[in-house]
Amino acid sequence: MGYKDVYEGWKADPEAFWMAAAEGIDWVTPPTKALFDENAPLYEWFADGEVNTCWNAVDRHVAAGNGDRTAIIYDSPVTHTKHTITYAELQTRVASLAGALRAKGIEKGDRVIIYMPMVPEALEAMLACARLGAIHSVVFGGFAAHELAVRIDDAKPKAIIAASCGIEPGRIVHYKPLLDGAIEQAEHAPDFCVIFQREQEVAHLEDGRDFDWHAFQYGVEPAECVTVKGNDPLYILYTSGTTGQPKGVVRPNGGHLVALNWTMKNIYNVQPGDVYWAASDVGWVVGHSYICYAPLIYGCTTVVFEGKPVGTPDAGTFWRMIEEHQIKVLFTAPTAFRAIKREDPKGELVKSYDLSCLQSLFLAGERADPDTIEWAKATLGVPVIDHWWQTETGYAIAANPLGIEEMPVKIGSPSVAMPGWDVQILDEAGHPVAPGALGAIAVKLPLPPGTLPTLWNAEARFRKSYLDHFPGYYETGDAGYIDEDGYLYIMARTDDVINVAGHRLSTGAMEEVLAAHPDVAECAVIGVSDALKGQLPLGFLCLNAGVDRDHGEVTKEVVTSVRDQIGPVAAFKLAVVVDRLPKTRSGKILRGTMAKIADGETYKMPATIDDPAILDEIRSALEGAGYAKG
Ligand code: COA
Ligand code: AMP
């Protein structure tokens, strides 16, 4: 069956399609049906099935006689360490950690925050929570204490599991002081913390609150898998919205298992036992789905890489990894390839490695620019597949399903909608537009299994953010078009979210930090194009009347504040002082127009602009900062 048959088969009978896919999962009690639509437009999948995600990701492979198979390859050029963990070892380690968490009171439904770098223990912590039916929420290590505190107050975790430190090239990231700072800032206090002490930095443990990862497992009874309902949450993952308050995307157990398991063969075309490497971070959705869960659920070997595409030690690291670990599929963000290409434009380093094991390269997380795709294709000699998805969806909405049929690649397009996804382009009034016409990208409800059923403790925000604008549809927040052949093109965000090095960031959250500076009267943050990271944030500051300090000092201070409050991952390094911000007559700041000026693009003078002369002032401020080159 080709792609069209599979897609049409799903469309003709979604219930049968997903019930068949559900057979790939070990259920304690199989679901009686797939879709539960009693509360439409809120939907649930496999709600009456009973299951455990950790059993499916770990124990079932041991039970099937594959305990000796490698589950995790850990390769850490920043610490010069490598080791592997078999499925049987993983089962022992996870059951022990889960047992220790249970002994301290963690039960089904409790929340546990995980704040860890790219070490196998991060996956073990996620799986241990899944084993107990506890809901984990992983916070990316590049976020600072304040962001962690916001998530603590929203998720209200009973426990926090953290590492003593992370390692970035050239510096140690002191996780423990960040964690202590976050707990101090937060209103909610966890009952206890578990600290994985790394030899690069051993952290101080707070008596009575903090427990050592190894010591607290001593002598405990290993925990068995706890049965949960298909619609019980497996995890919450916070992602950027338009404000400083992140959105807690909820991921239920049942649909997630079914959908991720389906993608491994059908999209990525791998078999159990193959080595699958998602070069991302467990703090992001790509890391949740394709470093931790999907490869393990499907019985593949997954790779935990603690390093960067360049500089650890060089731009040949990815190729060394592929050869040494016999990697079949590599999945990363285009920015990683742009970084490699910048260091080794001719791809010379590839020649030193045998990459014959590599079957395909998948890219996602941001727009894949044609140059990068062409370069990767020419350098690696394998299909380079762009696919499009979001934290909310958990896996690809549009892709080239290599395990069903390799569709012709159209560069600039993440190809076609996957089964489960009825993707449509809508005009402002919510009417579908003709092929080729630009509009808001929306998905006809219900969304398929494994996607978000709601936001954590924020159903009204869920409805407002995703469902209300186009009744009957899920609003993706992306704009684009579909061509005559059904290929999708993702052009831009329709909100104030920007994408920096494949990381999704909120300009609204940065504006909140800038606005809190005592000298700042008004501000705006926009995303400007960047050759390496895709976009970079750039701030505009209007200072209070009477402020006669050096502007450079103020901009330095706001740069430091964003780093301290949001974290280094915001990559906020540039701010300019202007007298006024361009606005519409109703007072809306014209961020889109400012971004176009910064990128040297042509723009239409907005009809509603209050005072067109301000745009000239913005242009000269940007020129002074090295932007606005046409
Ligand atoms: N913990 C602490 N700090 C972190 C961090 C982490 N886990 N990850 C990144 N940071 C820091 C970086 O050290 C950097 O700090 P600096 O300002 O002191 O240099 C800052 O956050 C910005 O990070 P980033 O934008 O990632 O830039 P970089 O210079 O470290 O690396 C690339 C650039 C392109 C090599 C890198 O972004 C990359 O490999 N990206 C892959 C993208 C990816 O995995 N996306 C996930 C979705 S698929
Ligand atoms: P995140 O939730 O961090 O995965 O970010 C999701 C957003 O990243 C999407 O809404 C898009 O704006 C962007 N994105 C992800 N993948 C792609 C892609 N393949 N092409 C274009 N944009 C993408």
Side-chain angles (χ1 to χ4, degrees), residues 73-301:
I73 295 170
Y74 172 55
D75 189 309
S76 169
V78 294
T79 59
H80 310 285
T81 13
K82 292 177 202 173
H83 65 253
T84 58
I85 299 170
T86 65
Y87 272 98
E89 286 164 347
L90 186 61
Q91 183 184 36
T92 307
R93 294 165 71 101
V94 170
S96 164
L97 179 63
L101 290 169
R102 186 179 56 189
K104 289 260 171 297
I106 300 296
E107 292 173 8
K108 176 155 96 178
D110 289 339
R111 272 83 57 213
V112 176
I113 279 188
I114 299 171
Y115 186 53
M116 296 182 89
M118 284 297 290
V119 290
E121 285 77 5
L123 279 64
E124 290 169 11
M126 294 162 80
L127 292 163
C129 292
R131 194 170 189 86
L132 296 174
I135 303 166
H136 64 68
S137 187
V138 182
V139 178
F140 178 61
F143 283 125
H146 173 73
E147 289 291 317
L148 183 54
V150 168
R151 287 154 175 80
I152 292 173
D153 278 335
D154 198 70
K156 301 199 170 29
K158 209 180 219 181
I160 300 181
I161 306 178
S164 55
C165 69
I167 294 132
E168 283 293 290
R171 80 188 150 99
I172 293 209
V173 184
H174 313 289
Y175 278 20
K176 186 57 178 22
L178 289 169
L179 171 63
D180 291 341
I183 293 176
E184 210 171 283
Q185 280 182 41
E187 279 175 26
H188 171 84
D191 290 357
F192 67 98
C193 299
V194 179
I195 308 298
F196 174 64
Q197 299 278 25
R198 303 191 71 186
E199 62 184 60
Q200 290 75 16
E201 179 166 277
V202 175
H204 166 75
L205 301 186
E206 202 74 24
D207 241 3
R209 188 197 73 188
D210 300 339
F211 297 93
D212 172 79
W213 172 282
H214 294 290
F216 105 125
Q217 293 183 45
Y218 179 75
V220 300
E221 178 88 7
E224 290 309 313
C225 295
V226 172
T227 301
V228 300
K229 289 276 186 209
N231 61 341
D232 282 338
L234 168 69
Y235 70 75
I236 305 164
L237 178 58
Y238 289 91
T239 189
S240 299
T242 44
T243 67
Q245 181 66 30
K247 295 168 166 171
V249 168
V250 173
R251 190 84 58 212
N253 279 275
H256 179 251
L257 279 164
V258 172
L260 289 193
N261 190 59
W262 183 88
T263 61
M264 291 303 283
K265 168 74 183 83
N266 292 287
I267 296 182
Y268 300 102
N269 198 21
V270 288
Q271 300 296 333
D274 287 344
V275 185
Y276 180 101
W277 178 27
S280 177
D281 188 288
V282 282
W284 307 114
V285 69
V286 172
H288 279 63
S289 295
Y290 291 104
I291 296 173
C292 185
Y293 288 112
L296 295 178
I297 292 164
Y298 200 62
C300 288
T301 296

Side-chain angles (χ1 to χ4, degrees), residues 522 524 540-542 576-585 587-591 593-595 597-598 603 605-606 608-623 628:
E522 208 180 8
F540 294 89
L541 309 172
C542 301
V576 291
V577 173
V578 292
D579 286 337
R580 303 175 295 169
L581 292 172
K583 291 185 188 167
T584 62
R585 281 188 284 278
K588 201 172 165 291
I589 299 173
L590 292 161
R591 293 181 182 79
T593 309
M594 294 199 290
I597 296 175
Y603 63 92
M605 180 65 71
T608 54
I609 192 165
D610 187 36
D611 178 359
I614 301 181
L615 292 182
D616 294 328
E617 295 170 24
I618 293 292
R619 181 189 301 282
S620 47
L622 283 168
E623 280 169 358

Side-chain angles (χ1 to χ4, degrees), residues 239 284-285 363-368 386-392 414 476 478 490 493 499 502-504:
T239 189
W284 307 114
V285 69
L363 299 173
E366 56 172 333
R367 200 180 94 82
D386 180 17
H387 60 333
W388 169 61
W389 48 301
Q390 310 182 306
T391 304
E392 289 84 345
T476 64
D478 284 317
I490 316 298
R493 288 288 301 188
N499 200 312
H503 307 139
R504 173 166 159 184

